[in-house]
Amino acid sequence: MSQRGFAVAAFRDLEQWRCAPLPPSVLGDLDVLLAALRSQSPEGGPFVLAGVEDEFFLIARLRGTRTLLLLSDLTASVEFPLAAQALDQLGEEPPDDDEMDDAWPIGDLELFEDLGLSEDEMDRLFDDPDAYPDETLEAIVNAIGLAEPYRQAVESLRP
């Protein structure tokens, strides 16, 4: 099943961060998303930002030989294959029925500490109950200084 959304790879080009759009196929399968991530130069810890159907986002980042994952909403794993695969990769269980009313992130909140976004600051970005996933993702991108390349890559995906 095809998912609506977008995916962008962020990578270092010499000393500057760049963003490039990725094909929609990465939104339906974590292995495809991680293959796109691993195809980037490992310098600086490249990452992929994927937003699915205005419901959640997933960030995958290479740090050395480790792959860090951050899923913006644990409850998305019930409905969306990419989120379910990320949850499985993180070794976490799907939420119980009584946990479905609250969205909360799961995974590596410290994945951008080297870019100046601490785990505590990341946690604060997720604390706004009225923020949509794309707004939280934009706040993260702004905090790490990648706003303009990210905006350009996402706009290039729009028909």
Side-chain angles (χ1 to χ4, degrees), residues 8-138:
V8 172
F11 54 92
R12 288 261 194 196
D13 184 9
L14 299 174
E15 289 300 311
Q16 187 168 1
W17 281 99
R18 302 222 185 267
C19 290
L22 292 172
S25 59
V26 303
L27 299 176
D29 189 307
L30 183 62
D31 288 336
V32 174
L33 185 141
L34 294 178
L37 173 63
R38 291 182 186 113
S39 72
Q40 306 303 317
S41 169
E43 179 186 345
F47 52 96
V48 170
L49 308 162
V52 178
E53 296 192 18
D54 298 327
E55 295 293 329
F56 72 97
F57 64 83
L58 175 66
I59 302 173
R61 184 165 192 208
L62 286 181
R63 181 148 323 139
T65 59
R66 292 184 48 215
T67 300
L68 306 175
L69 293 175
L70 176 62
L71 177 62
S72 68
D73 180 3
L74 172 73
T75 65
S77 65
V78 173
E79 186 176 344
F80 297 94
L82 181 63
Q85 293 164 7
L87 195 66
D88 186 54
Q89 180 87 13
L90 288 165
E92 298 289 340
E93 294 293 320
D96 295 327
D97 288 341
D98 61 333
E99 298 172 314
M100 291 300 294
D101 292 335
D102 297 317
W104 71 89
I106 188 112
D108 300 297
L109 287 170
E110 76 284 354
L111 80 168
F112 291 130
E113 284 188 342
D114 64 316
L115 299 178
L117 184 57
S118 72
E119 183 175 352
D120 288 341
E121 291 174 68
M122 183 77 90
D123 207 24
R124 277 193 288 281
L125 292 175
F126 280 101
D127 274 346
D128 183 354
D130 297 323
Y132 287 96
D134 63 326
E135 295 170 333
T136 303
L137 188 54
E138 285 179 20

